[in-house]
Amino acid sequence: MKLNNEGLHPQDINSISNKLLDMLVDIARQIIETRPENENFLINPDDPIEHVSNWHQFGIITHTKVVLDAYIATISEYFINWQVEDKIKSKLEVKIDNIAKHDLIKIGIILHDIGKFARKFKNEGGKLEHNFYGHEEISETLIVSEDSFIHKLLKNSFGLTIPQIAYIGRIAGLHFELGKSRDAARRASHGYSISFSESKECEKVFLDIASNFHDFKEEIGILFLCDSLGKTDIRIRAEKDEEIDLHIAFISQALEERKINPLLINAIKQLPVNIAITKKYLQTI
């Protein structure tokens, strides 16, 4: 990589991204705790079995690649249809030390779930089961902590600046922030649904998020959409809640034919809700 007094060139980001993708298995193995319950996880960090397969079709690394593909190739169509493209473009063209945010997001997405490799375990009826609660914060800490090998890799090997690394860390730490609207939805009469996205309760959640993260509010919507699209490649379209159940036979058949965990049906049915939530959020803020 060629550096000058301004640091990295924009074209270097693709090189960094490709190298990080190639390194993800090794990065995972440096993070995964050595314990009997993690034996398979260490051997194959991308095994879907190790990634709550009732909510994720893919292993963590493949999920990461699908999220990145969604960011690069898919989400712009949504933004055009929702008439928020100009707002998003204006925000992501802002540069941090000569590199535009839209490029730094690529690196942030690649590292957004590394905290899952530091997964915890909980005792469920005498059986240890892994969970990923708090993985967003762990991911951010692994990126921004000066003692972390990830931070040293980004800074010393790839030439990223501290402000750039801080932004990448924030991408990891806040990539699921919009998903927390589910807590408000559970308290509302609508539940987590497409109709909830149109409610006053949901609008308040949106405005609170935008207020709390004013300088990062667009990214929160972008990342939630990408992460949602990365959970499965079995997609349905629905504009209203009642349309979702019309796809159940199609989903069940697809899961059976592809020998995928049948419980993934809930994640597939939830995707149109996540899309509706993102649409209304980005139009509201």
Side-chain angles (χ1 to χ4, degrees):
M1 290 172 198
K2 294 181 180 179
L3 300 176
N4 59 21
N5 291 335
E6 295 182 335
L8 291 170
H9 291 293
Q11 60 265 32
D12 293 323
I13 296 299
N14 286 335
S15 176
I16 293 172
S17 298
N18 291 334
K19 289 179 180 179
L20 279 174
L21 284 171
D22 290 341
M23 296 173 68
L24 270 181
V25 170
D26 290 333
I27 288 172
R29 288 175 177 152
Q30 291 186 66
I31 297 172
I32 296 170
E33 181 184 4
T34 301
R35 56 185 293 168
E37 296 83 3
N38 279 341
E39 182 177 356
N40 177 63
F41 200 27
L42 275 166
I43 294 170
N44 184 9
D46 196 34
D47 191 337
I49 296 277
E50 307 291 350
H51 194 205
V52 192
S53 60
N54 56 323
W55 283 102
H56 294 87
Q57 178 180 338
F58 313 109
I60 296 169
I61 294 173
T62 298
H63 161 75
T64 295
K65 293 176 180 177
V66 177
V67 173
L68 183 62
D69 286 343
Y71 175 69
I72 293 172
T74 304
I75 61 171
S76 61
E77 179 182 348
Y78 287 100
F79 299 154
I80 292 169
N81 291 336
W82 299 344
Q83 298 183 339
V84 297
E85 182 190 26
D86 290 343
K87 175 168 61 176
I88 299 294
K89 183 178 179 182
S90 175
K91 179 63 178 292
L92 298 189
E93 285 179 345
V94 174
K95 293 183 178 181
I96 300 176
D97 293 343
N98 198 44
I99 301 296
K101 290 181 176 180
H102 66 74
D103 284 324
L104 292 172
I105 287 177
K106 296 175 186 176
I107 297 176
I109 286 175
I110 293 169
L111 298 175
H112 83 284
D113 266 354
I114 56 173
K116 287 182 175 178
F117 298 121
R119 69 186 184 187
K120 308 298 182 182
F121 286 82
K122 60 181 178 180
N123 192 313
E124 291 286 342
K127 179 182 177 183
L128 283 179
E129 292 190 0
H130 65 259
N131 70 76
F132 301 119
Y133 296 123
H135 75 273
E136 302 94 343
E137 182 180 352
I138 297 170
S139 296
E140 182 170 8
T141 299
L142 285 167
I143 292 166
V144 303
S145 174
E146 293 183 0
D147 295 331
S148 167
F149 76 96
I150 298 290
H151 181 91
K152 293 175 182 176
L153 177 69
L154 295 175
K155 181 175 181 287
N156 300 331
S157 298
F158 293 145
L160 290 158
T161 67
I162 296 299
Q164 290 167 347
I165 294 172
Y167 183 74
I168 291 166
R170 207 168 188 209
I171 290 164
L174 295 175
H175 75 265
F176 190 67
E177 196 65 28
L178 188 53
K180 296 178 182 178
S181 62
R182 295 174 192 172
D183 295 335
R186 293 187 185 101
R187 297 190 296 269
S189 58
H190 306 276
Y192 191 68
S193 60
I194 294 175
S195 58
F196 173 70
S197 72
E198 300 289 341
S199 70
K200 289 295 183 182
E201 298 100 319
C202 195
E203 182 179 356
K204 182 181 184 306
V205 173
F206 295 158
L207 295 175
D208 286 346
I209 291 173
S211 175
N212 290 335
F213 305 101
H214 180 72
D215 62 334
F216 202 79
K217 59 186 180 181
E218 289 86 1
E219 289 93 328
I220 284 173
I222 294 166
L223 295 167
F224 181 66
L225 177 60
C226 292
D227 195 57
S228 299
L229 292 169
K231 286 178 168 46
T232 174
D233 63 6
I234 301 173
R235 309 274 173 79
I236 62 171
R237 289 185 176 272
E239 299 294 329
K240 298 180 180 179
D241 293 303
E242 53 267 29
E243 295 174 5
I244 294 175
D245 284 343
L246 299 177
H247 299 278
I248 288 178
F250 160 75
I251 299 170
S252 298
Q253 182 179 356
L255 293 172
E256 182 178 357
E257 289 177 351
R258 297 171 63 177
K259 296 181 172 56
I260 297 172
N261 186 342
L263 294 177
L264 189 70
I265 189 171
N266 294 318
I268 298 168
K269 290 171 64 178
Q270 192 181 86
L271 180 57
V273 180
N274 290 355
I275 291 172
I277 290 288
T278 310
K279 174 184 177 180
K280 194 64 176 180
Y281 171 78
L282 289 173
Q283 290 177 338
T284 299
I285 60 171

